[in-house]
Amino acid sequence: MLPRMHTYGFINAYIRSRLGNLITQKLFSQLEAAATVEEVTALLRTTLYHRELQLYSTTGDIRAVEFALTVHGIDTMKNILSCLSSSHHRFAQALLMEHEVEVVKQALRFWFDRTVRGRRTGQMPEYLYREVLVHNIDIDLLINAERMTQLHDAVKHTPYAQVFTDHLDLVPAEKQLFHLELALDQLYFSVLREAVEAMPREDRKIGERVLALEVDLEQMMRIVRFTALYPPEQRKGWQVFLPGGTIAGQVLDAAYAAQSPEDAFSILAAGCTSMTKDQGSPSRGDVYAKLSWVSSLIQEIQLEHARKLLTGNPFTVGSILAYRVLMRHEINRLVSILNTRKGQPGSGGIAQ
Amino acid sequence: MMTPTPMIRLTAVVLDEHRQQISRALLSLGVLDMLLVKSLPEIDASQLREYPQEESRDDLRQLRSQLEGYLHAAEIDPYETQFRDISSLPLLDRAEAEKQLKKLSERTGTVRSRQRSLQDALLKLEEVDRHIKKPRRNVQSLPSYIVIREGTPPKGQGERFAQALSAYPSLYLQGEQTDQLITLRRDEESVIRLLERYDWKDAPSGIPIEELPLTTGVEQRKHELLIEQKRLAGELNEYITGQKEQLLYLWLQIRVHELTGEMIRYSSRTERTWLFSGWIPKQMQTRTEQVLAEASSGSCWYEWHEPTTAEDQASAPVEMNHRKLLFPFQALVKQYGLPAYGTIDPTLLVAVFYLSMFGLMFADVGHGLVLLGAGIIGHRRSRGKGFLFPLMGWCGISAMVTGILFGSYFGYPLIPPVWFDYHGIVEGHAQAGPVRSIYDILKITIYFGIAVISVGLVLNWINRIRIRDWRKLIWGAGGLLTGWIYAAGTYGAFYAVESGFQSLPGGVYLPIGIFLPVLLVGLKPFLLSPGPHRVMNVFLEWFVELLEIFSGYLSNTLSFMRVAGLGIAHVSLMTAFFEIARLIPSLPGSIAVLVLGNALVIVLEGLSAGIQSLRLNYYEFFSKYFIGTGTAYAPISLKRAGSAQDISRHKEIHP
């Protein structure tokens, strides 16, 4: 018990102090009702994100604020994970890989837009996280690559190299990054699962439970999205399933083969232990409304599990995993609030 | 002082034609914590009507919030502004307000758009800069991602050429003979097309790459862009500040409109009258009467209700209104909870106990002085906000006082102690006087603990009498029976210690001091709730309650030994640092050890002592008597705290 207290004592104090600073539902409602970014900034003046929001007053650029919020989230996780003992080193790195995979995907999108699609998106490579998270990846080379071999060189000696070898060459022919991105996600979840399995018993139990839930919900979101956006014949043969999770293979296959998102959701909900019987179904509105409904439901389930985790044994990885969910949700919600204000006068969006 | 501010409930009926003047007058006074009229026990709600909803409160709040966003951008806080008399303030013209906000929004939008263009340019430049600065294998080799050209565009086309280039991450430096152009290799195809369009002529100057002023050029350009960005932010600031008066006036109109609307929501009406009600601090009763009389030209009827019944007391709001000096301790109490109306407000006692505990654990004049200094500087830097720095200052003073009592000055016995030599005792030197050993110090802290717990018990009895809760006065946790057992137990324990654990007090001690109250505790279920009782349940309840009293109060009292423990640790640490310093041969080394040692002790011990004092107050003192069910006093006013938006914290309106 003592080594656990030693490891998690400080982490818990840090997390608990930050939990008190989470944005309340009341403030979120006010933020969602805010008409301008200036108003959002004023409302967030007493929160942990005050400094990030202040960037807007000098840059007028919501992307700068979004990037600063992302960096805030990554740095907070890095700080927490740096307090873990060496026996959790692999787990800490696996968690940080989530952000690294995202950076790799974004860098690849720059390259893809420029070379395969032949267009400029107006996105700024400077809004990419550059510090080393886990592996030494040459982000500049990924963005600026002239030849395919340079892309392989950028991720040389990292776990991404094999994924690139397996999928990159198909990208120009298929004119999409889709399969490569799916493979990167699968890699992240595999690495995370292996890292969880290598942890001490008590942490492993909690880690496996949280990971299984995360995979189940992500799996569910993907399958519903694919069934909503692509006809069955087009999505046939795609490798969309993630490793881990509690939903049986045949349930996933059946849901993936479904004709509509409603059918896919019902099949998955019946086969997923995290779902209750009375959560309803995404039957109203257009396809995006249905996806949004499923997304909200999944977020709610994740938040509920995170809150439950926080009431459990504080001397486990549970509190870290719970806080990770809460903070990610908070930052995503803020980014979404800011984005919906892009078109408002004062945000600079219209003039651009 | 020892109880929250006494409150009195106002219920008033005025002519509807005076509604606006009266509501504004009350808003200016800012003391009325409104109550929903229909929920009052003396009101027959069936005779009353609602006012029609003129405007959505959300719409008004959004309008105000939007304006506050712009004001905040220019660092103007309307809540900190002193406003003149609002009685003659014109009514809010919604269309005009929206027009003003639209104008402000458009102006802001223009500035933001220019800022964003600058930010884009800056980001592109930063990318070029990063590639220029990327480490190279040798100084002559070009960074692989950039292309450098020297040449000239056709005369008179420089500006347009630079404009076209701005779509790409690039740096265009115009020279006297030739211009330099740095672009990214990835944009080469587009850049070549652009160069052809502008008829760019390559004209290498022959200057080696490492001598080209690339870094200086980038830095200069970045500097220019940053200055321009700052200027634009300043321009917006100036624009808003230039309209400060009008904007604050508009804000006031919106706020008054919003708050009067809020008052209406709480109130009710008849054919020609307006009824409202709310709590007011009793000392404001006369002033409120004057304001009502002036605003209604004497045509008003009102009555005052003292919160005498338990129901009234439960609904009366709580205001803790201590002098500024006691503010940090008031904040400590509030962190725990708001005392129920009419019960003891322990702020003053918390100040005494907290500082005594801290002083006993952290007794040193030098360390106290550092804390006091840090508290004063922090308080000034935080512009008087928060309570931690003032608390730090108080702790510093307390440490200085006890430091003088125990003769400790940065761990050094500079002046002989006034009370006893703490350092001497911890170091094992023989002492004269009543306090001679560590056991004596422990004994002092136990006496101190008994005093604190006893005060807590007495306060509990006072609270129970004040709220007329007779059952809990006698049988409740911390009631008279508990006090009886605690007093007898403490006496018996000291007697046993004095006799070398050989005997207990004789005579009536055991039958009257222990057995009788123990028996009375057991009779509680029979006396309080007559009827059949299961013997086993009664026995178990009795047993658990006694266990709680005996073990709980024993551990509570012994818990105060931590005060001595931390005090001894403080002295021991300083002694250790002095010893280390003595062993170091060089004077600067010794001084460094002493300085670092003192700093470490101030930070770590200061923090521990602060936390332990708080813990003792909360768990050993507050738990004996504190009834934290109070509702915060939130008057409707133009100030931020207690304003309409905060009212929903404790009251929901269900019109």
Side-chain angles (χ1 to χ4, degrees), chain A residues 93-345:
Chain A
Q93 293 217 316
L95 280 184
L96 287 176
M97 244 181 92
E98 182 189 19
H99 302 290
E100 193 173 79
V101 164
E102 207 45 51
V103 173
V104 170
K105 281 198 224 167
Q106 284 178 18
L108 276 171
R109 283 175 208 149
F110 277 111
W111 165 82
F112 177 77
D113 282 334
R114 181 176 56 84
T115 57
V116 182
R117 279 190 173 161
R119 68 177 196 197
R120 298 171 66 83
T121 56
Q123 294 291 319
M124 288 289 169
E126 288 309 289
Y127 288 141
L128 269 184
Y129 193 81
R130 301 279 172 162
E131 281 179 41
V132 174
L133 281 161
V134 184
H135 304 101
N136 213 351
I137 299 163
D138 192 337
I139 300 293
D140 280 326
L141 191 53
L142 278 181
I143 296 168
N144 294 285
E146 299 292 319
R147 297 177 300 280
M148 300 290 266
T149 50
Q150 289 179 312
L151 292 172
H152 289 287
D153 288 345
V155 294
K156 209 160 54 183
H157 308 306
T158 71
Y160 307 111
Q162 190 55 49
V163 177
F164 275 39
T165 307
D166 294 345
H167 296 90
L168 189 62
D169 292 341
L170 299 170
V171 170
E174 290 179 342
K175 291 204 179 298
Q176 58 180 1
L177 281 170
F178 183 68
H179 296 292
L180 179 57
E181 291 192 3
L182 282 178
L184 285 170
D185 289 338
Q186 283 160 349
L187 171 71
Y188 160 65
F189 281 106
S190 307
V191 171
L192 185 58
R193 193 176 57 165
E194 283 164 20
V196 165
E197 281 166 3
M199 280 199 294
R201 196 174 61 91
E202 200 162 347
D203 283 339
R204 188 176 65 232
K205 268 165 57 187
I206 292 175
E208 280 171 350
R209 215 172 61 218
V210 174
L211 178 65
L213 174 78
E214 202 162 317
V215 170
D216 282 352
L217 297 178
E218 178 63 33
Q219 205 100 271
M220 187 173 284
M221 188 67 227
R222 277 168 185 232
I223 293 173
V224 173
R225 191 163 55 223
F226 292 153
T227 50
L229 300 176
Y230 303 100
E233 59 277 11
Q234 195 182 337
R235 60 179 192 260
K236 202 174 175 185
W238 290 356
Q239 301 292 316
V240 296
F241 302 148
L242 297 169
T246 58
I247 307 176
Q250 57 268 42
V251 174
L252 292 175
D253 286 334
Y256 191 63
Q259 294 293 322
S260 70
E262 291 90 339
D263 292 346
F265 180 78
S266 331
I267 295 168
L268 288 164
C272 179
T273 49
S274 314
M275 290 278 170
T276 54
K277 280 181 184 167
D278 55 352
Q279 77 279 311
S281 80
S283 53
R284 284 185 190 171
D286 63 5
V287 68
Y288 296 104
K290 287 171 187 169
L291 288 178
S292 164
W293 184 88
V294 177
S295 170
S296 309
L297 176 73
I298 283 172
Q299 269 183 22
E300 208 37 64
I301 294 170
Q302 274 186 325
L303 289 174
E304 202 183 306
H305 277 257
R307 287 182 202 118
K308 267 188 201 161
L309 262 184
L310 283 170
T311 59
N313 182 357
F315 303 113
T316 63
V317 289
S319 44
I320 298 178
L321 292 169
Y323 184 64
R324 170 173 161 264
V325 170
L326 296 175
M327 187 179 61
R328 186 172 55 192
H329 169 76
E330 185 169 89
I331 290 178
N332 286 347
R333 205 165 164 189
L334 280 180
V335 167
S336 141
I337 286 169
L338 286 168
N339 271 314
T340 51
R341 268 128 206 96
K342 259 184 186 160
Q344 302 293 334

Side-chain angles (χ1 to χ4, degrees), chain B residues 515-576:
Chain B
F515 297 149
L516 182 60
V518 163
L519 190 70
L520 287 172
V521 169
L523 291 177
K524 184 166 94 172
F526 302 105
L527 295 172
L528 296 188
S529 47
H533 292 279
R534 283 186 161 197
V535 178
M536 200 56 198
N537 283 356
V538 172
F539 182 76
L540 267 179
E541 203 179 313
W542 185 35
F543 178 73
V544 170
E545 206 155 329
L546 289 177
L547 195 71
E548 204 178 301
I549 293 172
F550 281 100
S551 68
Y553 277 77
L554 178 68
S555 63
N556 285 166
T557 308
L558 295 181
S559 184
F560 281 84
M561 281 164 70
R562 77 185 65 221
V563 174
L566 272 150
I568 292 165
H570 185 230
V571 173
S572 305
L573 271 172
M574 283 319 300
T575 311

